[in-house]
């Protein structure tokens, strides 16, 4: 048993930046793809980004492409999400999760989830 712990959320003005971290504690993630999801008030949780286990491949939802960058440091068992040019529409609770395999956009393919970190972007 183990857990994923997100950090780095906060409140920023539109156009600002935040860097989220997802640290694995007692959980093996080095050979797993990892993903970020988010859930805004009144909406379903949605895919944001994912990164392959090696870090060689990354994928993004269309509405964050070019603004967000996912990365990982396997030596530190940590995954990051650099968020630039933030918009009010990015306001949500952001979750990281461990990918079991298969279609990376399918939430059912992720087996461990963090508790989330709040990101609030004001206009």
């Amino acid at each position: 048993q183990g857990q994923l712990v997100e950090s780095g959320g906060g409140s920023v003005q539109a156009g600002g930046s935040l860097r989220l971290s997802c640290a694995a504690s007692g959980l093996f993630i080095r050979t797993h793809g990892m993903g970020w999801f988010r859930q805004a008030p009144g909406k379903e949780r949605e895919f944001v980004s994912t990164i392959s286990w090696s870090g060689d491949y990354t994928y993004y939802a269309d509405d964050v492409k070019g603004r967000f960058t996912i990365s990982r440091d396997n030596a530190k068992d940590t995954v990051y999400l650099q968020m630039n040019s933030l918009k009010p529409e990015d306001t949500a609770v952001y979750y990281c999760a461990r990918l079991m395999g298969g279609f990376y956009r399918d939430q059912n393919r992720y087996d461990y989830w963090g508790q989330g970190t709040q990101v609030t972007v004001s206009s």
Side-chain angles (χ1 to χ4, degrees):
Q1 196 61 250
Q3 61 181 327
L4 300 172
V5 181
E6 301 98 335
S7 62
S11 298
V12 298
Q13 293 185 331
S17 298
L18 285 173
R19 189 193 192 198
L20 306 183
S21 297
C22 173
S25 178
L27 182 67
F28 185 78
I29 67 169
R30 295 187 183 185
T31 58
H32 290 263
M34 296 290 293
W36 286 96
F37 293 78
R38 67 186 181 186
Q39 186 168 24
K43 294 187 176 182
E44 298 290 332
R45 188 167 59 193
E46 65 179 7
F47 169 78
V48 175
S49 182
T50 192
I51 186 168
S52 62
W53 73 269
S54 65
D56 292 336
Y57 302 96
T58 59
Y59 306 93
Y60 300 91
D62 288 342
D63 55 358
V64 307
K65 193 174 300 180
R67 299 188 298 119
F68 291 9
T69 303
I70 190 171
S71 63
R72 67 190 299 164
D73 186 341
N74 283 344
K76 297 181 178 180
D77 288 328
T78 302
V79 182
Y80 306 96
L81 185 68
Q82 178 67 45
M83 304 184 295
N84 298 325
S85 301
L86 283 163
K87 305 175 181 179
E89 307 93 270
D90 296 318
T91 295
V93 176
Y94 284 70
Y95 302 88
C96 67
R98 187 179 75 171
L99 179 65
M100 293 184 289
F103 187 46
Y104 60 86
R105 290 179 179 266
D106 184 356
Q107 296 184 41
N108 293 325
R109 304 312 303 164
Y110 295 80
D111 59 353
Y112 283 89
W113 294 76
Q115 294 184 348
T117 185
Q118 177 71 49
V119 171
T120 302
V121 185
S122 62
S123 59

